[in-house]
Amino acid sequence: MELHDVWFVLIAVLWTGYFFLEGFDFGVGILTRLLARDRPERRVLINTIGPVWDGNEVWLLTAGGATFAAFPEWYATLFSGFYLPLLVILVCLIVRGVAFEYRAKRPEESWQRNWETAIFWTSLIPAFLWGVAFGNIVRGVKIDQHFEYAGNLVDLLNPYALLGGLVTLTLFTFHGAVFTALKTVGDIRVRARKLALWVGLVTAALASAFLLWTQAESGDGKSLVALIVAVAALVAALIANQAGREGWSFALSGVTIVAAVAMLFLSLFPNVMPSTLNGEWSLTVTNASSSPYTLKIMTWCAGIATPIVLLYQGWTYWVFRKRIGTQHIAEAAH
């Protein structure tokens, strides 16, 4: 396997890790309006992801940096062609981070309510737009002979990509609901399991349609295996959720995300951005990659840094592993 193939796999792993981890905290952010009934319950939801949300975003920064270094042509075409939706995502992530930090800085109800509203919308919008972006990457976009994006914003809003957006939105919400059930106690835990059932059923329908469409358009035997794993894991996650096995349900919803993202990258390879204008103008792992020397240096750096990051992040989740409820919220205890 050539180094550019290795880095395609590594970038796929980074995006998979990002969607697995950021997926549930996007979902929890959405649930602050769908599940929480009052301010103490919203605080419970926010506190479940408070220690980890910023660490989850490290995977996005690493995926973007790795794409820039390993596949500069891919990075240039992607970020110039998808400039507006990616800018919206960036602004949402900035506002979301500010909302988490500023929400409790003042006691006024209006102040906290406004920041909680910001958390909801800045979780929902990226959860949808990431699916739209990856739907277009897999489907292909208008790339000319100079490897430049030749389309416009309307071209990105095609039925396949919009369906992909609905899939990531519902899948992340389901992932967040089972995470909430895993991390909370009391009535909110029970309601999270009930909501997870209904969101999971909608997710199953949308995801099955999207993955089958992907398989029909660009799939092969390997992507078919990933599709079957994704659907089976989602069904198993729903069964585990109904049985009250939150740990298994969360793990299986994570497997669903991992298998679904793997299927998209398997369907994409060896392309990194197909051209719908001319197949010969597609960006591939060969014509979009950096020099072998650059990839070699990157491989050594990744081999040293990655285990450290994984150990630190795993330790963070272990430290903050206990369940919480409204009784643990200071104002609600008085």
Side-chain angles (χ1 to χ4, degrees), residues 308-323:
I308 298 173
V309 173
L310 292 176
L311 286 171
Y312 171 78
Q313 197 160 23
W315 176 77
T316 302
Y317 277 93
W318 175 255
V319 169
F320 295 99
R321 66 189 182 278
K322 292 185 178 180
R323 296 176 182 267

Side-chain angles (χ1 to χ4, degrees), residues 8-322:
F8 179 86
V9 174
L10 290 176
I11 288 171
V13 170
L14 290 170
W15 280 110
T16 302
Y18 173 67
F19 288 142
F20 179 93
L21 296 172
E22 189 88 302
F24 73 74
D25 71 49
F26 279 149
V28 171
I30 294 169
L31 293 178
T32 58
R33 280 289 179 267
L34 299 184
L35 179 66
R37 291 175 174 172
D38 51 31
R39 176 143 296 112
E41 289 193 350
R42 282 194 287 276
R43 289 181 63 185
V44 168
L45 291 176
I46 292 170
N47 287 351
T48 63
I49 59 174
V52 298
W53 69 267
D54 49 354
N56 294 343
E57 292 187 354
V58 170
W59 290 77
L60 172 61
L61 299 175
T62 308
T67 304
F68 172 76
F71 299 99
E73 287 284 357
W74 184 12
Y75 181 93
T77 303
L78 175 64
F79 279 78
S80 60
F82 294 16
Y83 179 81
L84 185 57
L86 292 178
L87 177 62
V88 171
I89 290 174
L90 177 60
V91 171
C92 283
L93 294 180
I94 293 172
V95 173
R96 188 167 180 264
V98 172
F100 281 126
E101 298 297 333
Y102 276 48
R103 186 195 63 82
K105 296 299 183 183
R106 290 171 56 178
E108 293 87 352
E109 181 178 350
S110 59
W111 171 271
Q112 295 188 6
R113 183 177 61 250
N114 289 337
W115 285 119
E116 289 166 357
T117 301
I119 290 172
F120 169 76
W121 286 109
T122 56
S123 298
L124 185 148
I125 293 171
F128 175 74
L129 289 181
W130 278 127
V132 174
F134 269 82
N136 279 293
I137 292 173
V138 175
R139 172 182 173 269
V141 292
K142 295 179 179 178
I143 299 175
D144 62 21
Q145 65 270 31
H146 303 295
F147 299 139
E148 295 178 357
Y149 180 66
N152 53 46
L153 179 62
V154 176
D155 294 326
L156 301 179
L157 303 178
N158 55 81
Y160 177 80
L162 293 175
L163 177 59
L166 292 175
V167 170
T168 52
L169 175 60
T170 54
L171 181 55
F172 291 169
T173 305
F174 172 72
H175 197 40
V178 295
F179 178 79
T180 299
L182 176 65
K183 287 288 292 179
T184 58
V185 294
D187 182 58
I188 193 170
R189 175 187 178 188
V190 175
R191 286 188 283 113
R193 286 209 307 261
K194 291 180 180 178
L195 181 61
L197 171 63
W198 295 108
V199 176
L201 292 174
V202 175
T203 303
L206 294 174
S208 297
F210 179 74
L211 295 179
L212 287 171
W213 191 346
T214 303
Q215 180 66 25
E217 291 287 332
S218 55
D220 57 15
K222 294 178 181 178
S223 63
L224 179 60
V225 172
L227 185 156
I228 294 171
V229 171
V231 174
L234 181 55
V235 172
L238 286 168
I239 295 172
N241 175 72
Q242 285 301 98
R245 303 295 297 272
E246 291 99 346
W248 279 105
S249 183
F250 178 71
L252 288 165
S253 69
V255 171
T256 302
I257 293 175
V258 171
V261 177
M263 182 194 174
L264 295 182
F265 276 94
L266 287 169
S267 301
L268 188 60
F269 186 81
N271 294 320
V272 293
M273 281 191 77
S275 172
T276 56
L277 298 178
N278 188 324
E280 295 181 357
W281 298 343
S282 297
L283 288 170
T284 68
V285 293
T286 303
N287 63 23
S289 69
S290 295
S291 67
Y293 182 74
T294 300
L295 296 178
K296 184 177 181 180
I297 296 297
M298 290 176 59
T299 303
W300 279 103
C301 293
I304 296 171
T306 302
I308 298 173
V309 173
L310 292 176
L311 286 171
Y312 171 78
Q313 197 160 23
W315 176 77
T316 302
Y317 277 93
W318 175 255
V319 169
F320 295 99
R321 66 189 182 278
K322 292 185 178 180

